[in-house]
Amino acid sequence: TEPKNIGELIQKAETTHTLSKEEIVALLIDTQYEEEFFAAADRVRKAYVGDEVHLRGLIEFSNICKQNCLYCGLRRDNKNVKRYRLKPDEIVDFAAKAKSYGYRTVVLQSGEDDCFDTETMVCLIRKIKELDLAITLSVGEKSRAVYEKYRDAGADRYLLRIETTDKELYEKLDPGMSWDNRARCLRDLKELGFELGTGSMVGLPGQTVESLADDILFFKEIDADMLGIGPFIPNPDTPLAGESGGTFEMSTKVVAMLRLLMPDINIPATTAMESLNPRGRVLALQRGANVVMPNVTEGEYRQMYLLYPGKICINDTPAHCRSCITGKIQGIGRKVSETHGFRVKRA
Ligand code: SAM
Ligand code: SF4
Ligand code: FES
């Protein structure tokens, strides 16, 4: 069949929010109409989620992990990491500080650390809820029953990237883990009423543009409420040290595509984007994103949660990051939201 011209595809995406896999691929590989494509995503962002940027205070509370994902600096076989685990009281203290900086959400993220058993997590969630903060958890794969307990304790959202929808590639990169179980987790979380966050890495070794298009269609199919997209950045302390990694351009193209196809969802401008490009988060905010997740831990923990080299903010204080990111957001004519920043369904 005759290929549609790229201008028509951009218009179709902007007005109908639907594209076929072939059309998604054509837009992702195009380099001639990038500016038009990004501008369309920015218009849809403004029309559906407005100029407000939601800030989520990120607490990386443990870098201990029983898994061995080939791309990740926290993998259990990486002996060059000094491991840490915050105490529940310390986590609550960081949450209270996050609140004092004006954040309305905290994201609790860690490796798959079994020492945080269900009871500990439930207690922690309850205590943080008393601060009137929205809570996002990002602590990996659990049973439906455990997710249900987190929800009953007050957790609002859950972040679990599918990483790639190419099942064979996933199982090669995450040895001992099952793609089907990860997808099961996502469906359970959605059914239990969490706001569902997922996403993928861009530029994994062996990943194709077709596979990125499949990711995008998968996100639409499971009706994700938020999507975290970032480039894969090779870590020298992992088996993927020698790989070339993803590009900033392709990562923001995926962001723009998601804004066009899922206009009312929340999309973070991710830390990994800024680690590749000094203006990465601002550019992502201008290509479809509407969320930033500044780190709120202090001191040495930041250096120890090193997924990949070049991670930003590892020597900065939370107060500095708060004013830095506010400046960047205001610098492009946007404003910091004062709401909890839940998805407002409009599609
Ligand atoms: N352990 C939980 C999990 O895997 O879902 C949460 C923490 S994990 C460190 C958070 C995310 O970091 C992963 O979903 C993955 O997409 C990302 N990540 C890990 N290594 C990375 C790398 N080398 N480059 C870019 N992103 C990476
Ligand atoms: Fe562990 Fe998550 Fe890193 Fe995999 S991506 S090694 S589960 S922290
Ligand atoms: Fe941390 Fe800019 S957000 S230094």
Side-chain angles (χ1 to χ4, degrees), residues 130-181:
E130 286 169 15
L131 302 168
D132 184 33
L133 289 162
I135 299 181
T136 305
L137 299 178
S138 179
V139 298
E141 296 180 19
K142 308 282 171 194
S143 69
R144 184 185 176 105
V146 168
Y147 287 147
E148 199 166 356
K149 286 185 180 151
Y150 293 166
R151 182 206 60 191
D152 291 345
D156 303 279
R157 313 184 184 122
Y158 207 97
L159 210 58
L160 184 77
R161 289 184 177 179
I162 195 74
E163 316 295 2
T164 172
T165 48
D166 179 337
K167 184 172 166 172
E168 211 177 305
L169 178 61
Y170 176 85
E171 292 182 356
K172 205 162 88 188
L173 296 176
D174 289 22
M177 296 173 81
S178 135
W179 190 90
D180 287 328
N181 190 53

Side-chain angles (χ1 to χ4, degrees), residues 71 73 231 233-236 271-273 275 305-312:
Y71 42 80
I233 304 176
N235 183 321
T271 303
M273 296 227 185
S275 302
Y305 201 88
L306 209 57
L307 313 179
Y308 46 79
K311 193 176 172 217
I312 56 163

Side-chain angles (χ1 to χ4, degrees), residues 134-298:
I135 299 181
T136 305
L137 299 178
S138 179
V139 298
E141 296 180 19
K142 308 282 171 194
S143 69
R144 184 185 176 105
V146 168
Y147 287 147
E148 199 166 356
K149 286 185 180 151
Y150 293 166
R151 182 206 60 191
D152 291 345
D156 303 279
R157 313 184 184 122
Y158 207 97
L159 210 58
L160 184 77
R161 289 184 177 179
I162 195 74
E163 316 295 2
T164 172
T165 48
D166 179 337
K167 184 172 166 172
E168 211 177 305
L169 178 61
Y170 176 85
E171 292 182 356
K172 205 162 88 188
L173 296 176
D174 289 22
M177 296 173 81
S178 135
W179 190 90
D180 287 328
N181 190 53
R182 209 158 177 90
R184 187 275 305 160
C185 289
L186 296 179
R187 291 184 206 285
D188 279 347
L189 289 161
K190 185 84 194 178
E191 278 172 26
L192 288 167
F194 284 92
E195 275 206 343
L196 180 65
T198 182
S200 35
M201 280 180 283
V202 172
L204 290 167
Q207 186 186 48
T208 61
V209 180
E210 285 74 20
S211 152
L212 283 174
D214 285 333
D215 293 359
I216 291 164
L217 293 171
F218 173 79
F219 299 148
K220 217 171 145 85
E221 188 254 318
I222 55 166
D223 190 24
D225 301 293
M226 43 192 189
L227 285 170
I229 304 296
F232 156 60
I233 304 176
N235 183 321
D237 291 328
T238 65
L240 300 184
E243 299 295 337
S244 45
T247 67
F248 174 73
E249 279 300 307
M250 187 54 94
S251 305
T252 55
K253 275 192 192 177
V254 174
V255 162
M257 185 66 76
L258 290 169
R259 177 57 70 201
L260 289 166
L261 300 185
M262 302 178 72
D264 62 8
I265 63 165
N266 285 321
I267 305 179
T270 56
T271 303
M273 296 227 185
E274 190 127 332
S275 302
L276 287 191
N277 181 321
R279 297 192 60 235
R281 286 175 301 176
V282 157
L283 284 169
L285 288 172
Q286 293 177 313
R287 297 176 179 186
N290 70 320
V291 171
V292 180
M293 296 164 56
N295 198 320
V296 296
T297 57
E298 280 167 49

